[in-house]
Amino acid sequence: MLIAIPLLIVPVVIYNIVIIFIGQDASNGLAVASDVLSDPLFAVTMASGARWSVSVGDLILFLSLILLFFELLKSTTSQKAAIVNHALSMVLFVVCLIEFLLLGGFATSVFFLIMTMVLLDVLAGFIVTIIAARKDFEFGQGRS
């Protein structure tokens, strides 16, 4: 039943932990959140001599992209758990949308991109399910 849990809940929870426990300031929540997300964790010197700085927000987005890939792979299955996964993904999107619209520390580009990935997961899951169901229906009609 663990396959029914959307993987994109992981970056959403990590973002919540970073913002609520590390980057939240009652008077200036958005500025503190942006600072925490954009402060470089480390930098790598490239062959060109340029320095590539990696921040907490970059790492959360990187993890989100990897998990989105696996979520899209999961959406191609037609197991019963996939229906639960789609429903939970929709709930996760609604939670993300509420946080984005109502909480100051969540009105950042990083969280917007995470929320967009969750929306893409929802859309992909429903589209793949509809296409698979239509193919099953067409195949069933061909038999007489």
Side-chain angles (χ1 to χ4, degrees), residues 15-119:
Y15 188 94
N16 274 274
I17 290 170
V18 167
I19 296 304
I20 292 172
F21 294 117
I22 299 172
Q24 194 68 291
D25 180 13
S27 62
N28 202 6
L30 182 58
V32 173
S34 295
D35 289 344
V36 168
L37 293 171
S38 62
D39 283 343
L41 287 176
F42 60 90
V44 177
T45 303
M46 306 305 285
S48 65
R51 289 185 53 88
W52 173 41
S53 298
V54 178
S55 66
V56 172
D58 296 334
L59 289 178
I60 294 173
L61 286 175
F62 178 68
L63 174 66
S64 300
L65 284 171
I66 292 170
L67 294 177
L68 177 62
F69 171 75
F70 288 110
E71 273 296 315
L72 293 176
L73 289 178
K74 277 178 31 179
S75 70
T76 61
T77 65
S78 59
Q79 300 173 356
K80 289 183 181 180
I83 305 291
V84 176
N85 180 283
H86 301 328
L88 292 175
S89 293
M90 178 61 86
V91 170
L92 180 62
F93 174 71
V94 170
V95 168
C96 289
L97 185 62
I98 290 169
E99 286 180 333
F100 181 71
L101 294 174
L102 300 180
L103 302 176
F106 293 83
T108 64
S109 294
V110 172
F111 194 73
F112 175 77
L113 291 173
I114 292 170
M115 183 179 65
T116 303
M117 288 181 220
V118 173
L119 176 62

